[in-house]
């Protein structure tokens, strides 16, 4: 939908669908007319102004600094991006000659372990490969770069690498895992590198290009990620380009295939399409390595499965010594990721046909400067924002109020407004998660229901921006210079081995830096960014439905430290390597711990203290976001979601330990000493024997009775036969307990939910359903559980109450703690009063149909909103 030819209604409908507020839409359409692009531009940036000088839009407020609008500033940033593009290769080489760099003595190369490689240094490419001066009009299939003089890497390769490292990247030495990966590559081995987010995996495949002068082909899942990496490489004096649908200049592909860039980034589809020309490149300039970055995308057991990654076995099949005459060895594959469980690793090796001798390079997944915590929040309304973002707002606004008396940035009247405002885009009912606040029900099926699919407009699991329409697709090495914020060392990752240094870090205040807030829905990116901007924070929304110009702008402003907060879906993604991100806030349940850890890993890359906070509604269970999944994948998706849910419910184990062990690593430190659990300590351990016993009793009784259906006198005799045939879930068992014992009459299902998990962990009960659920749903006794029941009073049942149990105990008015909820219930008057107040608190229950009918509801809402806006506009006329 582009503008002038579009009807006003269509523009309004589209803007509503994107989650903008009525008032913003009304103002924008009134000002710029029925042009979709202009309206968005107006709302987000205020760059299209009305002549009467009406008030600027919300987003421009946030990015307005010294009277300048983001729109204006970004125009200049866009230009600077554009300037990276060079008129021709020749221009580049001419300028390269002007700013001569130190010359590398090719003759110095010697041989070790039979590795045959060629000279490297990028700025010498012209000299080394006369073909690079070639006429660009040459036939695309003619090999303009002739086969370089092959040289061998000497035993002093580490010395050479260190000097390249210093020269191009400003680092003093390789990290151990980087050395291991390079050694494997030098020995022609395939290699799987599993190293923490931000640890420096990219260098493992960038160095081979510099060291050999051959080309390195990097397979990467996102164009935005390729763009970021290419642009960084150009600053470090390395020529790079990316190919594929996002590449606007069709000459770049020809040039790349003639060997004119040291590093070529491609997405899997493109590399598959280019097999033949890449084979020719391998035989001319040479291909040092195929790097498969973010390789967890290969596996459907991982969190970011991309089917095209599975087809990458073509690399092994087509670039082996048996297919290409000039090769003595297969071109090595280097697969890299920060998040792969053991199952995912096996799948990667198999799917890519990696060799049996593949080397594993494993580093600790542990990031000792990340402070993990989990907080309960409904994450659903402005009231939640007010509570949860108060501190964040204060951090960014206090900074600007130097000289002013320090006070909270949230004035009382605004607080009141936020609480009572009827934000249509974020009303409770419009949320996907229907089980917010009260009660507890299972709705894991929502994500897979046909309704769920309809909702995918707003709730996208794979909200990726993969058709990044960047202005520049080729990147020439400029003289290496370092960003201001790259001057810090990342060496602090091994801080746990340096207790004194780490101790001093723990005492550091958290610096200002940048914040990324990850939210599950596109609408929330808009509403939270708008909310923060309202208090003067420089925040911007980022999601795949926003115009590309806006996305580019956010990227640029983020990298230039002009923004303070980016509120994003997972589209703001992989490989973002910004050193001074101080906070990653997840506002809503992530879909997996893999995704969570990868996103959280974007914080604290400078090694300084950084916060990773997960705000989630601990009283409700997370649901799967809609996505096309096979039955197997659905199971796996639930498993991953369940692990994530359990991470949130945990109250007693160090969070870093859970995360690191999730990826199969032994966490040798026992405690990170930073996370909320380590700092606050676990809750008081309780002996839950009585409650565990009664729950076991009803489960066992049901089990026995279902085994002998003839017995009508058992405790389930009151349940209708049809119902009896259905497997009872936890809710039913809890009803039974309440019926049986007055003491438990007012107990919260939420609390029993926690207990059921604990009993499952102890091996007393198991899931009776074939399907996977976020948490145990159909409870069946195990032999161990039945033994526990028989042992009667002798056996104790000590456990730390989990987060939902603590929440149930703290919010319920019916009993003081979760252990003495029975107090007072024997008194009929107290009971009557409590039941009455419970009834009041609960309010009418929404029917399941109503809840899952979200899509229809939002259509209706959108329809009425459209009418409302249209009528406002016509009244104004
Ligand atoms: N040997 C080194 N010494 C110091 N810093 C390094 C070294 N190697 C890499 N770095 C720095 O580490 C940072 C992260 O690098 P990189 O983007 O390669 O991480 P990554 O492991 O690929 O992260 P992700 O998993 O998020 O993709 C970069 O800023 C880089 O300059
Ligand atoms: Mg990376």
């Amino acid at each position: 939908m582009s503008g002038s030819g579009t009807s006003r209604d269509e523009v309004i409908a589209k803007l509503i669908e994107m989650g903008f507020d009525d008032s913003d839409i009304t103002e924008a359409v009134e000002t710029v007319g029925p042009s979709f692009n202009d309206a968005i531009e107006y709302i987000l940036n205020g760059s299209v102004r009305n002549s009467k000088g009406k008030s600027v839009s919300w987003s421009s407020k946030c990015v307005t600094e010294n009277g300048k609008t983001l729109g204006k500033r970004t125009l200049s940033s866009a230009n600077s991006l554009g300037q990276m593009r060079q008129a021709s290769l020749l221009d580049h080489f001419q300028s390269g000659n002007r700013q001569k760099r130190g010359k590398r003595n090719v003759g110095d190369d010697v041989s070790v372990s039979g590795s045959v490689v060629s000279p490297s240094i990028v700025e010498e490419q012209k000299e080394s490969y006369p073909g690079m001066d070639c006429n660009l009009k040459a036939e695309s299939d003619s090999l303009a770069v002739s086969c370089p003089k092959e040289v061998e890497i000497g035993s002093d390769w580490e010395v050479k690498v260190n000097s390249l490292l210093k020269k191009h990247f400003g680092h003093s030495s390789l990290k151990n895992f980087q050395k291991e990966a390079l050694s494997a590559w030098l020995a022609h081995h395939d290699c799987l590198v599993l190293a923490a987010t931000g640890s420096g995996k990219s260098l493992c495949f960038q160095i081979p290009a510099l060291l050999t002068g051959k080309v390195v082909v990097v397979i990467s899942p996102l164009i935005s990620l390729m763009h970021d990496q290419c642009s960084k490489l150009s600053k470090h004096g390395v020529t790079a380009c990316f190919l594929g649908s996002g590449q606007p200049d069709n000459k770049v592909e020809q040039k790349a295939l003639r060997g004119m860039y040291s590093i070529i980034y491609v997405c899997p589809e493109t590399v598959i399409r280019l097999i033949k020309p890449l084979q020719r490149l391998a035989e001319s300039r040479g291909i040092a390595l195929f790097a498969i970055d973010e390789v967890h995308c290969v596996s459907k057991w991982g969190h970011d499965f991309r089917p095209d990654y599975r087809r990458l076995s073509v690399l092994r099949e087509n670039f082996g010594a048996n297919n290409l005459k000039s090769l003595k060895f297969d071109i090595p594959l280097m697969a890299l990721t920060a998040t792969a469980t053991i199952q995912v690793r096996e799948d990667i090796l198999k799917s890519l046909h990696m060799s049996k001798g593949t080397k594993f390079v494993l580093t600790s997944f542990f990031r000792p400067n990340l402070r993990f915590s989990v907080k309960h929040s409904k994450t659903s309304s402005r009231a939640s924002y007010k509570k949860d973002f108060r501190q964040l707002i204060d951090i960014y606004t206090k900074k600007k109020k130097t000289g002013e008396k320090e006070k909270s940035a949230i004035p009382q009247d605004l607080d009141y407004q936020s609480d009572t405002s009827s934000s249509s885009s974020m009303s409770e009912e419009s949320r996907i998660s229907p089980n917010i606040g009260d009660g507890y029900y299972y709705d894991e099926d929502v994500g897979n229901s046909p309704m769920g699919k309809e909702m995918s407009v707003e709730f996208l699991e794979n909200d990726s921006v993969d058709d990044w329409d960047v202005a520049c697709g080729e990147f020439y090495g400029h003289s290496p210079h370092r960003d201001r914020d790259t001057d810090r060392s990342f060496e602090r990752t091994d801080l746990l081995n340096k207790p004194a240094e780490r101790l001093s870090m723990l005492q550091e205040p958290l610096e200002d830096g940048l914040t990324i807030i990850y939210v599950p829905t596109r609408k929330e990116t808009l509403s939270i960014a708008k909310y923060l901007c309202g208090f003067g924070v420089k925040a911007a929304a980022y999601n795949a439905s926003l115009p590309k110009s806006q996305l580019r702008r956010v990227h640029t402003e983020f990298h230039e430290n002009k923004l303070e907060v980016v509120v994003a879906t997972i589209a703001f993604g992989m490989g973002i390597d910004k050193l001074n991100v101080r906070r990653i806030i997840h506002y809503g349940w992530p879909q997996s711990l893999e995704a969570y850890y990868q996103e959280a890993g974007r914080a604290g890359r400078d090694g300084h203290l950084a916060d990773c906070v997960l705000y989630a509604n601990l009283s409700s269970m997370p649901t799967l976001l809609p996505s096309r999944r096979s039955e197997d994948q659905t199971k796996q998706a639930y498993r991953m979601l369940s692990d994530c849910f359990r991470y949130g419910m945990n109250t007693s184990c160090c969070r870093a330990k859970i995360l690191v062990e999730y990826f199969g690593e032994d966490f040798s430190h026992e405690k990170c000493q930073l996370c909320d659990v380590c700092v606050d300590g676990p809750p008081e351990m309780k002996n839950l024997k009585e409650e565990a016993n009664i729950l076991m009793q009803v489960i066992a009784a049901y089990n026995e009775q279902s085994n002998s259906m003839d017995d009508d006198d058992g405790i389930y005799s009151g349940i209708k036969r049809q119902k009896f045939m259905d497997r009872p879930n936890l809710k039913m068992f809890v009803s039974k307990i309440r019926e049986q014992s007055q003491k438990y009459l007012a107990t919260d299902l939420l609390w029993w939910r926690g207990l059921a998990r604990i009993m499952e962990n102890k091996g007393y009960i198991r899931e009776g359903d074939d399907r996977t659920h976020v948490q145990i749903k159909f409870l069946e006794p195990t032999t161990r559980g039945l033994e526990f029941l028989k042992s009667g009073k002798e056996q104790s049942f000590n456990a730390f109450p989990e987060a939902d149990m603590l929440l149930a105990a703290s919010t319920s008015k019916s009993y003081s703690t979760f252990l003495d909820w029975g107090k007072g219930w024997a008194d009929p008057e107290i009971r009557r009063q409590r039941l009455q107040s419970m009834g009041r608190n609960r309010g009418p229950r929404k029917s399941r149909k109503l809840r899952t009918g979200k899509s229809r509801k939002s259509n209706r809402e959108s329809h009425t909103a459209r009418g409302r806006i249209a009528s406002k506009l016509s009244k104004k006329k």
Side-chain angles (χ1 to χ4, degrees):
M1 198 181 285
S2 67
S4 48
T6 320
S7 84
R8 192 183 64 173
D9 273 7
E10 277 175 293
V11 171
I12 294 172
K14 184 91 179 137
L15 292 171
I16 292 169
E17 196 185 301
M18 287 177 75
F20 290 109
D21 274 2
D22 288 9
S23 54
D24 293 333
I25 299 173
T26 313
E27 187 180 326
V29 174
E30 192 192 9
T31 311
V32 302
S35 159
F36 177 66
N37 289 343
D38 286 352
I40 288 207
E41 185 71 14
Y42 181 87
I43 297 174
L44 292 176
N45 307 302
S47 59
V48 181
R49 302 310 183 86
N50 81 23
S51 53
K52 292 170 205 150
K54 290 215 169 187
S55 64
V56 294
S57 64
W58 62 267
S59 188
S60 61
K61 266 186 250 160
C62 74
V63 285
T64 296
E65 207 176 23
N66 306 329
K68 286 183 184 172
T69 65
L70 173 73
K72 282 177 190 162
R73 280 206 319 270
T74 348
L75 268 181
S76 63
S77 353
N79 285 343
S80 71
L81 197 75
Q83 277 159 14
M84 276 194 259
R85 187 173 206 164
Q86 309 228 348
S88 78
L89 259 183
L90 223 54
D91 291 352
H92 163 66
F93 290 122
Q94 275 154 8
S95 70
N97 284 343
R98 258 177 260 131
Q99 17 164 304
K100 271 250 189 278
R101 291 191 202 120
K103 217 176 163 187
R104 182 168 171 271
N105 190 349
V106 175
D108 285 350
D109 290 323
V110 282
S111 153
V112 73
S113 66
S115 304
V116 181
V117 289
S118 53
S120 65
I121 310 299
V122 171
E123 62 270 34
E124 289 175 7
Q125 281 166 347
K126 188 187 163 199
E127 294 156 48
S128 304
Y129 313 120
M132 291 186 79
D133 263 343
C134 64
N135 178 356
L136 295 179
K137 289 193 187 90
E139 289 295 313
S140 61
D141 59 355
S142 79
L143 297 169
V145 178
S146 58
C147 199
K149 183 184 146 222
E150 300 252 320
V151 289
E152 294 182 349
I153 291 178
S155 56
D156 60 343
W157 67 268
E158 264 190 74
V159 179
K160 283 184 195 142
V161 168
N162 282 344
S163 103
L164 287 170
L165 202 61
K166 183 100 202 132
K167 181 173 172 187
H168 286 278
F169 301 98
H171 305 317
S172 53
S173 61
L174 285 176
K175 296 180 180 186
N176 280 340
F177 87 90
Q178 293 170 332
K179 259 184 232 167
E180 281 180 50
L182 286 173
S183 306
W185 161 73
L186 282 166
H188 314 285
H189 288 304
D190 289 347
C191 176
L192 176 58
V193 182
L194 290 154
T197 45
S199 55
K201 291 184 287 298
S202 319
L203 273 186
C204 300
F205 56 78
Q206 289 163 352
I207 290 287
L210 294 178
L211 195 63
T212 63
K214 292 186 184 181
V215 175
V216 166
V217 178
V218 186
I219 291 95
S220 174
L222 294 177
I223 294 167
S224 55
L225 175 55
M226 299 183 208
H227 181 272
D228 272 1
Q229 295 230 348
C230 289
S231 126
K232 212 168 263 171
L233 280 170
S234 85
K235 286 182 193 152
H236 292 304
V238 184
T239 56
C241 69
F242 66 85
L243 307 179
S245 58
Q247 175 52 261
D249 183 349
N250 55 14
K251 280 196 189 123
V252 172
E253 186 170 302
Q254 292 172 27
K255 289 190 247 171
L257 294 171
R258 288 207 299 265
M260 294 182 167
Y261 305 94
S262 295
I263 304 191
I264 304 174
Y265 283 86
V266 273
C267 54
E269 301 86 314
T270 308
V271 84
I272 292 163
R273 173 172 65 80
L274 296 177
I275 292 290
K276 284 277 166 234
L278 283 171
Q279 282 181 329
R280 287 196 291 268
L281 182 64
E283 302 210 87
S284 53
R285 180 169 168 181
I287 294 180
L289 171 70
F290 283 104
I292 300 120
D293 202 11
E294 309 292 355
V295 73
H296 56 272
C297 296
V298 164
S299 176
K300 52 183 172 212
W301 312 122
H303 62 102
D304 207 357
F305 174 54
R306 288 168 196 238
D308 279 318
Y309 258 74
R310 287 191 94 71
R311 297 168 60 202
L312 289 176
S313 57
V314 293
L315 296 176
R316 176 43 30 90
E317 284 148 18
N318 290 282
F319 295 90
N322 55 344
N323 329 80
L324 300 177
K325 276 185 263 132
S326 63
L327 296 186
K328 284 191 193 149
F329 303 93
D330 295 351
I331 297 180
L333 304 179
M334 186 185 280
L336 309 98
T337 177
T339 47
T341 56
I342 291 168
Q343 191 184 24
V344 170
R345 292 174 210 174
E346 285 165 5
D347 201 16
I348 290 169
L349 294 185
K350 220 164 93 193
S351 316
L352 296 183
H353 295 182
M354 290 176 83
S355 66
K356 289 216 170 71
T358 297
K359 297 279 177 224
F360 275 67
V361 175
L362 284 169
T363 69
S364 175
F365 287 95
F366 182 46
R367 297 273 309 273
N369 60 325
L370 297 189
R371 182 162 66 185
F372 290 96
S373 59
V374 176
K375 294 181 194 222
H376 170 63
S377 168
K378 287 188 179 177
T379 67
S380 58
S381 63
R382 291 172 68 92
S384 316
Y385 300 170
K386 181 187 136 190
K387 181 165 67 70
D388 302 330
F389 298 132
R390 178 183 288 267
Q391 214 188 348
L392 191 74
I393 291 169
D394 277 354
I395 288 168
Y396 290 121
T397 49
K398 268 184 189 157
K399 208 172 53 176
K400 295 167 199 158
K401 287 187 195 158
T402 40
E404 264 184 56
K405 203 176 142 201
E406 286 202 351
K407 55 178 182 181
S408 168
I410 308 183
Q412 282 311 302
D413 50 345
L414 215 52
D415 272 8
Y416 175 74
Q417 277 176 7
S418 349
D419 252 348
T420 52
S421 78
S422 56
S423 165
S424 61
S425 60
M426 278 305 299
S427 63
E428 288 266 307
E429 298 78 47
S430 73
R431 300 267 312 167
I432 190 171
S433 182
N435 46 356
I436 284 172
D438 64 343
Y440 150 82
Y441 13 83
Y442 290 93
D443 24 31
E444 295 139 61
D445 297 334
V446 172
N448 288 322
S449 67
M451 285 302 173
K453 286 203 177 99
E454 283 173 42
M455 287 188 285
S456 64
V457 178
E458 290 170 52
F459 301 94
L460 291 187
E461 187 183 23
N462 301 317
D463 196 29
S464 55
V465 183
D466 208 12
D467 49 352
W468 187 270
D469 180 20
V470 282
C472 174
E474 54 183 338
F475 298 82
Y476 300 113
H478 303 306
S479 56
H481 72 87
R482 314 198 72 212
D483 295 339
R484 205 156 44 94
D485 68 348
T486 58
D487 281 329
R488 285 184 183 162
S489 143
F490 193 75
E491 299 304 313
R492 289 155 53 118
T493 41
D494 59 348
L495 276 177
L496 264 200
N497 303 323
K498 299 175 188 163
E501 268 188 48
R502 184 156 195 268
L503 198 68
S504 79
M505 183 191 78
L506 302 192
Q507 285 155 3
E508 282 171 13
L510 196 63
E511 297 163 16
D512 291 345
L514 308 175
T515 298
I516 305 176
I517 302 176
Y518 282 106
V519 291
T521 70
R522 291 172 178 175
K523 268 187 178 180
E524 284 161 296
T525 63
L526 300 171
S527 56
I528 295 177
K530 177 176 177 177
Y531 180 81
L532 295 175
C533 289
F535 295 103
V537 178
K538 294 180 201 164
Y542 190 102
N543 72 59
S545 74
L546 294 173
K548 304 248 167 52
S549 56
Q550 166 73 6
L551 302 183
R552 265 202 300 276
R553 183 179 296 159
V554 174
H555 259 278
T556 311
E557 300 257 326
F558 174 76
H559 283 285
E560 290 173 356
N561 296 318
K562 287 177 181 164
L563 282 172
E564 290 163 331
V565 181
V566 175
V567 190
T569 58
I570 56 167
F572 195 63
M574 277 187 242
I576 287 198
D577 180 32
K578 182 90 178 90
L579 296 195
N580 60 338
V581 176
R582 289 270 70 79
R583 278 163 224 86
I584 299 283
I585 295 174
H586 279 80
Y587 208 61
W589 288 107
Q591 294 280 287
S592 69
L593 281 182
E594 283 96 327
Y596 177 67
Y597 202 49
Q598 188 164 54
E599 283 149 15
R602 286 166 201 151
R605 284 175 175 236
D606 51 10
H608 288 249
L609 187 64
D611 261 341
C612 303
V613 190
L614 164 60
Y615 285 92
N617 189 344
L618 302 178
S619 68
S620 80
M621 259 186 299
T623 48
L624 276 190
L625 299 183
S627 176
R628 260 181 243 125
R629 298 182 182 92
S630 66
E631 206 177 306
D632 265 5
Q633 286 167 340
T634 305
K635 260 194 180 170
Q636 177 62 11
Y638 274 123
R639 243 173 258 140
M640 293 195 291
L641 193 60
S642 172
D643 289 331
C644 196
F645 174 66
R646 282 159 205 266
Y647 168 83
M649 290 300 136
N650 156 68
T651 54
S652 56
C653 181
C654 166
R655 296 209 187 272
K657 181 176 163 69
I658 298 183
L659 290 166
V660 162
E661 290 186 345
Y662 182 74
F663 294 106
E665 177 182 334
D666 274 344
F667 188 65
S668 50
H669 313 287
E670 221 28 64
K671 280 178 165 205
C672 71
Q673 297 164 341
L674 267 187
C675 71
D676 53 351
V677 177
C678 287
V679 171
D680 303 338
E684 194 190 332
M685 189 177 257
K686 302 279 181 185
N687 185 356
L688 306 175
K689 187 177 68 185
E690 196 182 327
E691 294 79 23
N693 210 286
I694 194 161
L695 183 56
M696 250 346 271
Q697 269 178 36
V698 290
I699 298 169
Y702 170 81
N703 195 52
E704 206 175 299
Q705 208 155 359
S706 68
N707 290 340
S708 55
M709 287 289 287
D710 297 337
D711 176 9
D712 267 353
D713 302 324
I715 65 166
Y716 286 93
S717 55
I719 301 171
K720 278 187 194 141
R721 193 149 189 96
Q722 180 50 46
K723 202 157 187 185
F724 191 85
M725 297 295 288
D726 296 337
R727 274 166 308 173
N729 59 24
L730 176 68
K731 193 174 172 189
M732 222 173 110
F733 286 129
V734 172
S735 306
K736 199 75 215 164
I737 292 172
R738 286 177 183 151
E739 257 171 48
Q740 277 184 359
S741 167
Q742 283 215 330
K743 183 178 171 187
Y744 297 117
L745 195 59
T747 51
D748 198 328
L749 192 52
L750 198 58
W751 189 88
W752 293 100
R753 183 179 87 173
L755 180 66
R757 264 194 329 272
I758 294 176
M759 288 172 69
E760 186 191 20
N761 288 344
K762 285 186 186 268
Y764 291 177
I765 53 175
R766 64 170 164 248
E767 175 59 59
D769 192 14
D770 294 339
R771 289 189 310 162
T772 313
H773 300 278
V774 175
Q775 100 136 37
I776 184 164
K777 183 172 181 182
F778 299 107
L779 294 64
E780 268 182 17
T782 60
T783 319
R784 189 149 185 230
L786 294 172
E787 276 164 14
F788 164 76
L789 198 56
K790 269 191 226 144
S791 72
K793 287 184 179 143
E794 291 122 55
Q795 213 164 335
S796 60
F797 190 105
N798 291 324
F800 292 109
E802 297 231 314
D804 41 3
M805 300 167 87
L806 294 176
L807 194 69
S810 71
T811 53
S812 174
K813 305 275 185 299
S814 314
Y815 44 87
S816 54
T817 76
F818 67 90
L819 269 190
D820 57 0
W821 56 73
K823 273 185 195 159
W825 280 90
D827 179 334
E829 180 50 25
I830 295 180
R831 196 164 67 236
R832 193 188 59 74
Q833 283 175 14
R834 287 181 178 176
L835 286 172
Q836 220 171 29
S837 91
M838 278 169 66
R840 267 202 307 275
N841 289 341
R842 268 202 195 120
R845 259 178 92 114
K846 295 165 205 157
S847 78
R848 191 180 174 97
K849 211 168 172 189
L850 197 71
R851 282 182 274 121
T852 53
K854 174 180 180 298
S855 180
R856 257 172 296 151
K857 185 171 187 312
S858 87
N859 278 346
R860 256 199 328 271
E861 269 175 3
S862 145
H863 197 74
T864 45
R866 212 161 64 201
R868 227 175 20 244
I869 294 169
S871 86
K872 257 191 216 163
L873 285 170
S874 47
K875 268 185 207 152
K876 284 190 179 170
K877 272 185 199 162

